[in-house]
Amino acid sequence: MTFMFRARLRPFSFPKPRYPTHTRPFSRASGSNNNALGLTRRTAARVTVLTASSIFLASTIYADSNVELSTRPSFGSLVRAYAVFSICSVPSLVDASPKILATLSSIPGVRQITEAFVRVTFFDQFVGADTAEGAIPLLRSLRAANQGVLFAYSVEVDENEAIADALPYKRIVDEMLHCIDIAADFEASLAGKTVADGPHGRRTWVAVKMTALLPDAHALIALSSHITASRKALPSSSREAMVPFPGSAIIEDLDIILKSPSSDHSPLTPSQILSIRELYADLVRICTRATEKGVKLILDAEYSWYQPAIDALTLALMREFNSLKPTQGAGEVQPLIYQTFQCYYRRTPAQLALALEDARRNNYALGAKLVRGAYHPHELEAHKAGIEFDNTPHAVDVSRPSPSISPEPEPPVWTEKKDTDDTYNRCAAVLIKAVKDDVDRCAGRAARKADEVVGIDERKGWFTGLFGWTKDAMDTATSPVKEQMPSVPGIGVLFGTHNWDSSALVLKELVRNGLAVEDTRIEQGIKVRNETVERIAIGQLYGMTDDLTEWIVSRINSSTPFVIKYVPYGGLAQVMPYLCRRAIENKSVLGEGAAEHERQRAGQEIWKRILG
C-alpha cells in the first residue's frame, strides 16, 4: 500500500524541505539545563546579534510595509525573516516569550524599545497592518502574486483572563462588520463588480474567533460542559454517542440557550445564558452582513473546553445561512460559513462523516476548513492536570487547576504526530471526493458507484474499525446532496496546511478525481476546473512557508487564486498576545527543524544578494 501511495504522488514531485521529516511524538524540547530559559552561549550570542540587527531593520523593513511585494523579496524582508526564524529556532526562548515581553513592557523606557523591536520583527513578519485599511496594499500585493487572503482581526481572549470589559468586545463585533465591508470593497475594486454580479473569483474571506466576541469566555466553557454531560443521555448505539470528546454537534445542543427559559435548575447561570444569547445574536449580525456583501466566513476552532459550544453555534449558523433552497440563485455565495475541523483530535474522522451526512439531510452547504491543530501541548497538559486533580483527594474549596472538561481517560488529541498526519491526509481525500460528487450533482451527472468512497478502506477499517460503522452508513454520509437543490456549491473546503506531503496529496487527488487535469504548459502543473476552484482552496499563514506557497502557486493554472494567506491585523498592543501565542502554538509547524529551514533559506538568499 505504501508503494502504491508513493507511486501515485510521483507526478507531483517537489523540493523536499531541508529538515528531518521523520515521525516522532509531540513533545516539548528535551535536554534543557537548569536555566529556566535553557539558553546556551551560542543562543545568547545569536540573540545579541539579532538585537543589534534590529537597528538596521527599523530603518529598512518598516518602510517596506506599504511597498508591493514582488516575486523577489526585498533585502530588508530577508533580514527580518532571518532574525525572526532564528529566534523561533530556540524553543525555550519561544516558550518564555510571553513572560519576557510582559516583563520588558512593564519597565518605563524599555517598553518603547521592546515594542519597536517587536514591530520591526515579528509584527511585520506575521501581521498585515494595524488596521484593515492599512492592510489593503498588502492584499493587492498578494493578489498580484496570485494569492487570496483570509482576513482576521487578531484580538484574543486569554483563558486565564477571560472576562473582558463590555465596550472592547462590542468594538470587536463592530470591527468584524467593518472587516467584512473592507473585504467586499477590495474585491469590488479588483473586479469592478458588485455582489449582484456573482461570487466567482472572490478570494478575500474573513476569519471569526468566537471567544473574542463575548464579555466572559467562561460562558462557553459552561455551555460546553453542559453539552458534554448531555451526551450521556444519547442511546449508546447512536453514532453521535460513539464520537470521542469533544464530540459532534447536534442541533439540540443549543436548546438551553435558544429555547429553554433560564431557571434555578439550569447548569448555566442567567448571566451566562444571556451572554451566549447575545453572542449568537452578534454572530447572526456578522453572518447577515457577510451574506449581503458576498464574503465567506471561517469560524476558527479553539481549545477543546470551548469546542462543544463553538460547534453547536456553528451548526446552527450553517443550517441558517448555508441553506440550499430550490429558489436560490446561482450568484449567491455558498457555502458562506466554514467550520474548522482539527485533525489532531481523535474525534475528527467520525465528526467529519456526521457533518457531511447532516448537511446532506438538512439541505445546507457544508463549509469545512481542515487543519492539523494549534493547541496540542496545551491540550495534553490540561488533560493530564485535570485527570490528576480528579483522581487525587483534595479539599472542597480547592479550585481545579485545569480548564479541561473531557470525561474520558484518554486525551482528546492524538499523542503521536503520525496519527495526526494520517488523519489529515485521509480526511482530505474524503473531502475531495465529496467535492467531486457535488460537482457531478451540479452538472447533472451524479454518477457515483457505491464502493468508491475515497479514504475509507474496509479492509483496514480506518473509519469502521474505530467507530464500528458500516460501509452503508459511510456511503450515506459522503453521498451527494439531494437533486432538488439548486446548482450552487453544496460543499466548500479550505485545506489549511504547511505540510509539503499533504499539499502534494491535495493536488494529486484533484487530478485523480477529475477536478483538475495536467497542464503540459507548466512544469508539473495542473489546470483546475472553474467549478473546482470555487469549492477548494489551500490556506497558509502569512509570513510562513513562502517556498511552499510559491511551489503551489507556480503549478496551479486556475481562474481564481488557489492559495489563501491568513493575514491578521490589529494594533501592536492588541496583537501582542496573538504573536506570543502564535509563536508557541506554531512550534508544531516550526518544529522538527522547520524554523531552522526558514532561517537557512533566508540566509542563503541574503548571501546571494551580498555576493551578487
Side-chain angles (χ1 to χ4, degrees):
M1 190 67 181
T2 302
F3 171 77
M4 292 177 63
F5 176 76
R6 295 200 179 277
R8 292 197 301 267
L9 277 181
R10 193 168 295 147
F12 299 99
S13 61
F14 49 83
K16 286 286 186 180
R18 300 173 186 171
Y19 50 89
T21 57
H22 57 276
T23 301
R24 65 185 184 187
F26 286 104
S27 63
R28 289 191 175 276
S30 59
S32 58
N33 57 22
N34 293 330
N35 188 327
L37 296 180
L39 297 178
T40 63
R41 279 196 287 264
R42 179 178 297 179
T43 298
R46 180 186 294 175
V47 173
T48 301
V49 171
L50 295 176
T51 304
S53 69
S54 65
I55 299 174
F56 169 76
L57 292 169
S59 62
T60 59
I61 299 174
Y62 192 55
D64 290 343
S65 59
N66 290 325
V67 178
E68 292 201 345
L69 297 174
S70 64
T71 55
R72 193 180 189 211
S74 69
F75 187 79
S77 298
L78 291 171
V79 175
R80 178 187 66 213
Y82 184 88
V84 167
F85 289 113
S86 292
I87 296 174
C88 291
S89 300
V90 186
S92 54
L93 186 58
V94 173
D95 287 332
S97 60
K99 292 183 179 179
I100 293 175
L101 289 176
T103 300
L104 295 177
S105 297
S106 65
I107 303 174
V110 178
R111 175 182 178 180
Q112 288 75 13
I113 298 174
T114 301
E115 291 182 348
F117 175 79
V118 172
R119 177 174 286 280
V120 300
T121 52
F122 289 90
F123 185 93
D124 283 347
Q125 182 69 26
F126 299 120
V127 181
D130 291 82
T131 64
E133 290 86 352
I136 289 177
L138 174 62
L139 269 60
R140 294 191 183 280
S141 300
L142 291 172
R143 186 58 61 91
N146 200 24
Q147 298 169 35
V149 165
L150 176 55
F151 223 9
Y153 181 51
S154 291
V155 176
E156 299 189 0
V157 174
D158 192 320
E159 66 272 14
N160 296 319
E161 300 174 356
I163 299 177
D165 294 331
L167 288 178
Y169 92 90
K170 278 301 183 185
R171 284 200 296 267
I172 294 172
V173 172
D174 291 339
E175 183 61 34
M176 288 287 97
L177 299 173
H178 177 62
C179 182
I180 292 170
D181 291 341
I182 294 295
D185 292 345
F186 172 71
E187 287 290 341
S189 70
L190 292 177
K193 294 192 284 185
T194 64
V195 176
D197 295 316
H200 304 294
R202 291 179 172 269
R203 274 296 193 265
T204 306
W205 304 352
V206 171
V208 177
K209 194 174 183 73
M210 288 194 196
T211 53
L213 302 181
L214 74 172
D216 183 2
H218 287 110
L220 290 175
I221 301 179
L223 177 57
S224 293
S225 298
H226 165 71
I227 293 172
T228 301
S230 69
R231 294 285 182 265
K232 299 176 182 178
L234 294 174
S236 59
S237 59
S238 69
R239 283 180 283 164
E240 289 81 4
M242 299 169 65
V243 179
F245 177 82
S248 182
I250 57 178
I251 200 64
E252 292 79 12
D253 287 341
L254 288 183
D255 283 354
I256 190 174
I257 301 297
L258 302 181
K259 293 183 179 180
S260 300
S262 58
S263 68
D264 295 336
H265 302 290
S266 173
L268 278 71
T269 66
S271 63
Q272 288 172 335
I273 292 176
L274 179 62
S275 180
I276 297 177
R277 283 177 179 169
E278 188 175 359
L279 168 64
Y280 186 76
D282 286 333
L283 288 170
V284 169
R285 285 178 59 208
I286 291 171
C287 293
T288 300
R289 180 70 63 87
T291 300
E292 296 168 351
K293 297 291 187 176
V295 175
K296 295 192 175 190
L297 298 178
I298 310 294
L299 303 186
D300 283 343
E302 306 195 39
Y303 292 102
S304 63
W305 40 94
Y306 296 126
Q307 208 55 52
I310 290 174
D311 291 342
L313 291 164
T314 301
L315 175 60
L317 293 169
M318 282 198 297
R319 284 200 181 185
E320 179 176 355
F321 290 94
N322 289 8
S323 177
L324 296 172
K325 307 177 182 66
T327 57
Q328 200 160 17
E332 186 169 340
V333 171
Q334 285 296 354
L336 182 81
I337 299 167
Y338 283 60
Q339 178 178 4
T340 300
F341 295 85
Q342 298 170 288
C343 290
Y344 66 8
Y345 282 138
R346 294 183 294 112
R347 71 162 180 173
T348 303
Q351 178 201 18
L352 179 58
L354 286 171
L356 286 164
E357 180 179 356
D358 190 75
R360 182 191 65 83
R361 289 183 174 177
N362 293 282
N363 289 3
Y364 67 88
L366 177 66
K369 174 189 173 188
L370 192 71
V371 299
R372 279 173 165 78
Y375 305 110
H376 190 273
H378 300 277
E379 292 285 356
L380 286 179
E381 291 171 4
H383 183 78
K384 180 181 178 181
I387 292 294
E388 290 177 351
F389 180 81
D390 294 341
N391 294 332
T392 303
H394 52 269
V396 178
D397 59 346
V398 175
S399 60
R400 199 167 187 269
S402 168
S404 174
I405 61 173
S406 173
E408 301 171 5
E410 289 186 87
V413 295
W414 300 111
T415 57
E416 298 286 336
K417 186 177 186 300
K418 182 180 183 302
D419 292 324
T420 298
D421 292 339
D422 289 345
T423 300
Y424 189 96
N425 291 339
R426 291 178 184 268
C427 287
V430 169
L431 285 167
I432 290 175
K433 183 58 170 63
V435 169
K436 179 192 183 303
D437 291 339
D438 188 60
V439 170
D440 288 345
R441 172 189 65 81
C442 287
R445 295 192 297 269
R448 176 180 178 274
K449 295 180 181 179
D451 59 349
E452 292 180 351
V453 181
V454 177
I456 302 169
D457 188 332
E458 278 194 302
R459 292 169 299 175
K460 287 193 171 184
W462 185 68
F463 276 102
T464 59
L466 280 176
F467 305 105
W469 293 4
T470 65
K471 184 172 182 298
D472 290 341
M474 290 306 306
D475 283 345
T476 299
T478 56
S479 62
V481 288
K482 295 181 179 179
E483 291 299 322
Q484 68 265 27
M485 288 186 186
S487 295
V488 297
I491 186 171
V493 185
L494 174 61
F495 293 107
T497 181
H498 300 88
N499 184 282
W500 286 81
D501 291 324
S502 295
S503 298
L505 176 65
V506 168
L507 303 189
K508 163 43 187 90
E509 287 295 313
L510 292 180
V511 174
R512 197 175 78 81
N513 283 275
L515 298 171
V517 295
E518 294 185 13
D519 190 339
T520 57
R521 297 172 299 175
I522 305 173
E523 182 181 356
Q524 299 178 352
I526 64 174
K527 179 175 177 57
V528 181
R529 296 164 55 181
N530 290 342
E531 57 267 36
T532 301
V533 80
E534 288 301 322
R535 292 169 170 85
I536 294 180
I538 293 179
Q540 287 146 9
L541 294 172
Y542 172 65
M544 291 181 59
T545 57
D546 287 339
D547 52 345
L548 175 58
T549 300
E550 293 164 5
W551 179 82
I552 298 172
V553 169
S554 67
R555 281 155 179 79
I556 294 292
N557 179 3
S558 64
S559 59
T560 298
F562 193 75
V563 176
I564 292 179
K565 281 291 193 179
Y566 185 101
V567 177
Y569 75 91
L572 179 61
Q574 296 169 318
V575 302
M576 283 272 259
Y578 165 84
L579 290 172
C580 290
R581 290 193 190 93
R582 181 57 65 191
I584 294 173
E585 291 156 9
N586 283 343
K587 285 197 299 182
S588 61
V589 176
L590 294 174
E592 297 188 340
E596 183 65 18
H597 164 69
E598 294 282 352
R599 184 185 70 83
Q600 290 178 359
R601 194 166 64 89
Q604 290 168 359
E605 185 62 27
I606 289 172
W607 279 113
K608 287 181 182 178
R609 302 283 180 91
I610 293 175
L611 299 178

